[in-house]
Amino acid sequence: MMDEALKQELRKQGIVATTLQELYNWGRRNSLWPLNFGLACCAIEMIATTMARYDLARFGAEVFRPSPRQADLMIVAGTITKKMAPQVVRLYNQMPEPKYVIAMGACAISGGPFKQGYNVLKGIDRYIPVDIYIPGCPPRPEALIDGFMALQRKIEGQTITGEGRPDFMKDEPSCDFVVPEFAAHDLLPTSNQGVWEAPQLVNITTAEKPGTVKA
Amino acid sequence: MSTFSAPAMELTPKPSYAADGAQLLEVSMGPQHPSTHGVFRMDVALDGETVVKLKPIFGYLHRNHEKLGEDQSYIASMPYTDRLDYFCSMTNNWAYALAVEKLAGIVVPERAEYLRVITAELTRLQNHTSLVGFLMQDMGASGTPLMYAFREREKILDLFESLSGARMMCNYMRFGGCRVDLPKGWQQQAQSVVDAYPKFLDEFEALLTSNEILMARTQGVGALSSELAIAAGITGPMLRASGVNYDLRKVDAYGIYDRFQFRVPLGDHGDVYDRCMVRLLEMRESLEILKQALRDLPEGPIQDPKTKVRNFKPKPGEAYGRIEAPKGELGFYLISDGSANPYRFRVRPPSLINLTILEDLCLGRNIADVVIILGSVDIVMGEVDR
């Protein structure tokens, strides 16, 4: 990295010094184009965020693209049913890299209030990698903006070389994003092992508490 | 082996042909489409630009509302009703509360009735405002009308937020009344919103109603005859745009609607233009109701003291409560078997039933008209698929 004091000194002389990585991340984070894609209630708050009062355009993200081919960011705004989940994964696969996903609202995170239902997917992170989770039912526009800024900070911190570089810059992607199929009882596969691991269920009444000593 | 299997999706369907032998173009609009108002799909067969077949495909947002309603107590379903038609949580609450009140024979105090009317009419205002904005968006007036509509909608959402704590999912009504009383200064705030609204409507109408492009796009498009509307069970502004004088606020006079002076705007042709105009006129009547309700709002309790909050078990029986929601007749049908959960919880969604005649409206029109006809029906997929 360049010496910050030297950089400031050069700037006074009218010379802007930067790195390719900084320039690249600056460009990406300030012109995220979301996919024009609403699923349920949260989509209305997403629309409200783009309107004059909250004005997502301040963050360079007012250009909602109807086509996944032109979008960088998928805001999963609403309940994903088992009928809709394959289409969501298909849309994600159609988006060009680099791409990001925001899970907006309780339903996109975990199924939300409809989790007990027979037709609701219990979180979109079972099939596609999610960058930012925004809780709420629905989240307020301010919450979406906050999540959006968190995503911008995340992009700012990404490296374009070395081990920590994002998945799409590696030669071998870590996994495919399989489109699930609507099968007899559930979606098949029920989750994508490459992006989601089923949490280990622990019975807290019988499990040993950490730090306890057996008599 | 499985007992149920979904039909495999045909990736290369057989081509279909028009009467003169020309091959038809089949377009699948949705479920991801900017103008379908949610996740709705239409399989459209086109002869050139003309629609010859339209098949709506539902179920992309089926969230098992009815099943969940049967599995939980009566009051636990109240927040779920918010999420049916997510533009109009207050009217959904009211319809459900009305059904339960009929079932259990609960009397609502007068102040609560007034609060219900006020919140329901504010809901109607913001629903119709957003709908007209979205319709213009569908027509290609990108941004500006919708921005104006949402600017006004936010003022009403602020009122809802200070009253109930939530912008959209208000969860405000309870069996036998309302959850909380008005906060300090709310009535004056509401009064100022109501007083300022006609100015916005004048501006909106000046920009839209005599606009030549709008008239060319909407007049005569998607005309619905009153006979078909009645036969198909269409309700709400869509029915009234076809010239049928049927408004549940007048017919049932549920709550205290018989105390208010208001008119029911009717259309003449039943086309997209009339549907848009009926909604614009309805907003003015809603403002009249709001003025009277805010003026006459009495003091008193907001909750029937005899209604149990916990362990609420109505006697066995059935009830159907219906109201004039902004989109049409919203009804809840409940069967009680005497337990804490309803035996059957059924919703009659206006959007779904208004959508059933979509093909009749679209046949013979251009593909571009399908978008605005769908927009003028005013659907919300949460309510259509439930």
Side-chain angles (χ1 to χ4, degrees):
Chain A
M1 285 296 288
M2 204 175 168
D3 181 23
E4 197 61 32
L6 177 63
K7 211 161 134 182
Q8 291 299 327
E9 188 55 41
L10 282 172
R11 184 162 286 177
K12 281 177 199 158
Q13 312 287 326
I15 300 166
V16 178
T18 185
T19 59
L20 181 63
Q21 179 174 303
E22 271 178 32
L23 192 67
Y24 183 76
N25 285 344
W26 172 78
R28 280 196 305 170
R29 81 166 190 271
N30 288 316
S31 66
L32 282 168
W33 287 9
L35 181 62
N36 189 348
F37 175 52
L39 287 165
C41 333
C42 289
I44 309 301
E45 286 294 60
M46 184 174 79
I47 295 166
T49 315
T50 63
M51 289 299 150
R53 187 178 191 181
Y54 297 100
D55 200 10
L56 198 60
R58 291 175 293 161
F59 305 91
E62 81 280 21
V63 196
F64 273 73
R65 304 312 294 185
S67 164
R69 302 286 184 203
Q70 301 166 342
D72 313 304
L73 168 66
M74 180 190 249
I75 301 176
V76 185
T79 316
I80 309 114
T81 60
K82 289 182 180 168
K83 190 169 180 176
M84 195 60 199
Q87 334 294 336
V88 177
V89 180
R90 195 170 286 133
L91 283 168
Y92 179 77
N93 283 336
Q94 287 171 351
M95 282 163 63
E97 295 280 6
K99 54 190 171 187
Y100 305 94
V101 177
I102 288 179
M104 182 182 181
C107 291
I109 295 172
S110 70
F114 304 98
K115 188 170 176 136
Q116 276 79 27
Y118 50 84
N119 194 36
V120 174
L121 184 71
K122 291 159 186 66
I124 192 61
D125 54 0
R126 289 173 184 234
Y127 292 108
I128 57 178
V130 176
D131 294 288
I132 302 289
Y133 296 86
I134 306 173
C137 190
R140 294 176 56 88
E142 290 95 332
L144 178 60
I145 291 176
D146 185 51
F148 192 82
M149 287 161 73
L151 179 67
Q152 287 185 321
R153 285 194 294 277
K154 183 174 179 173
I155 295 171
E156 204 176 2
Q158 282 185 337
T159 56
I160 58 172
T161 51
E163 269 309 295
R165 66 193 193 276
D167 208 43
F168 69 95
M169 288 188 160
K170 295 171 185 164
D171 294 334
E172 290 282 317
S174 59
C175 72
D176 288 339
F177 302 108
V178 283
V179 177
E181 278 187 26
F182 197 54
H185 297 291
D186 201 351
L187 290 168
L188 277 180
T190 52
S191 67
N192 185 345
Q193 300 295 316
V195 280
W196 190 76
E197 265 181 53
Q200 291 290 318
L201 295 180
V202 179
N203 187 338
I204 53 167
T205 53
T206 57
E208 282 178 32
K209 283 181 190 142
T212 50
V213 184
K214 267 188 187 172
Chain B
M1 278 304 287
S2 62
T3 50
F4 164 78
S5 66
M9 200 190 293
E10 270 186 66
L11 288 177
T12 50
K14 287 174 202 144
S16 29
Y17 296 92
D20 60 351
Q23 189 178 329
L24 297 178
L25 177 68
E26 291 196 14
V27 181
S28 169
M29 285 176 78
Q32 194 265 326
H33 191 280
S35 74
T36 52
H37 296 246
V39 279
F40 174 56
R41 186 171 142 213
M42 291 171 281
D43 270 358
V44 192
L46 298 170
D47 183 4
E49 283 261 324
T50 316
V51 176
V52 292
K53 207 183 93 190
L54 187 144
K55 189 179 158 200
I57 295 167
F58 303 103
Y60 288 99
L61 196 56
H62 174 56
R63 303 195 277 196
N64 13 73
H65 275 282
E66 294 182 357
K67 191 67 203 161
L68 287 171
E70 289 160 18
D71 286 350
Q72 59 199 3
S73 62
Y74 283 88
I75 192 68
S77 288
M78 188 60 89
Y80 283 89
T81 61
D82 290 339
R83 287 154 182 84
L84 274 171
D85 171 358
Y86 33 78
F87 268 102
C88 320
S89 59
M90 292 290 193
T91 46
N92 297 349
N93 285 176
W94 193 359
Y96 180 56
L98 200 68
V100 175
E101 280 153 13
K102 267 190 181 177
L103 190 67
I106 300 169
V107 184
V108 183
E110 194 164 317
R111 184 174 170 86
E113 291 278 23
Y114 270 90
L115 292 181
R116 285 179 177 191
V117 169
I118 291 168
T119 51
E121 292 306 323
L122 284 171
T123 304
R124 198 181 313 279
L125 271 183
Q126 61 100 354
N127 177 73
H128 286 355
T129 309
S130 329
L131 172 97
V132 176
F134 277 118
L135 191 59
M136 298 305 139
Q137 178 100 340
D138 290 346
M139 247 174 259
S142 272
T144 315
L146 191 58
M147 290 250 182
Y148 282 18
F150 266 66
R151 183 189 64 196
E152 299 305 312
R153 180 175 180 258
E154 291 287 343
K155 290 176 189 163
I156 294 172
L157 292 192
D158 280 350
L159 290 176
F160 285 169
E161 193 184 352
S162 63
L163 178 58
S164 73
R167 281 157 53 85
M168 281 170 68
M169 307 302 174
C170 299
N171 183 15
Y172 178 60
M173 288 172 202
R174 290 289 178 268
F175 313 139
C178 299
R179 181 157 56 87
V180 285
D181 209 341
L182 298 181
K184 212 174 165 188
W186 194 91
Q187 211 172 329
Q188 289 74 29
Q189 206 188 339
Q191 189 68 51
S192 66
V193 169
V194 170
D195 290 341
Y197 224 82
K199 191 162 165 275
F200 157 71
L201 287 179
D202 290 342
E203 185 192 21
F204 218 40
E205 284 188 24
L207 287 171
L208 300 174
T209 45
S210 57
N211 184 312
E212 214 171 310
I213 304 171
L214 181 117
M215 278 157 56
R217 277 301 300 277
T218 56
Q219 288 187 344
V221 173
L224 172 66
S225 67
S226 53
E227 293 81 30
L228 179 62
I230 292 168
I234 309 299
T235 47
M238 210 175 153
L239 177 70
R240 293 193 284 275
S242 296
V244 183
N245 189 353
Y246 182 79
D247 187 324
L248 285 178
R249 290 175 292 178
K250 292 275 189 198
V251 174
D252 276 12
Y254 58 91
I256 48 163
Y257 269 112
D258 48 354
R259 298 185 195 180
F260 300 112
Q261 294 287 323
F262 65 101
R263 293 169 297 173
V264 179
L266 296 179
D268 212 6
H269 310 282
D271 53 5
V272 175
Y273 186 79
D274 276 12
R275 272 172 233 148
C276 187
M277 284 307 294
V278 161
R279 288 185 174 105
L280 283 169
L281 292 170
E282 256 185 32
M283 281 196 262
R284 297 200 185 263
E285 296 307 314
S286 286
L287 288 170
E288 287 302 312
I289 299 175
L290 276 169
K291 269 182 210 158
Q292 297 167 41
L294 286 168
R295 187 193 61 207
D296 302 340
L297 181 66
E299 292 297 322
I302 57 155
Q303 174 74 39
D304 176 38
K306 278 179 258 168
T307 309
K308 277 202 229 170
V309 177
R310 286 172 195 281
N311 207 11
F312 177 74
K313 287 179 184 170
K315 286 193 191 88
E318 55 186 281
Y320 179 66
R322 59 178 191 174
I323 67 160
E324 181 73 31
K327 294 180 169 63
E329 177 188 334
L330 174 66
F332 282 83
Y333 176 66
L334 298 166
I335 302 181
S336 166
D337 56 0
S339 70
N341 304 352
Y343 175 77
R344 180 78 173 97
F345 177 94
R346 157 88 185 142
V347 190
R348 184 230 187 257
S351 303
L352 171 67
I353 292 160
N354 289 358
L355 198 56
T356 49
I357 46 147
L358 186 65
E359 186 175 17
D360 300 83
L361 300 183
C362 293
L363 285 185
R365 305 299 318 185
N366 286 346
I367 180 87
D369 292 340
V370 172
V371 172
I372 58 167
I373 291 170
L374 181 71
S376 72
V377 174
D378 192 7
I379 57 162
V380 159
M381 290 318 286
E383 190 179 64
V384 172
D385 290 335
R386 304 193 299 295

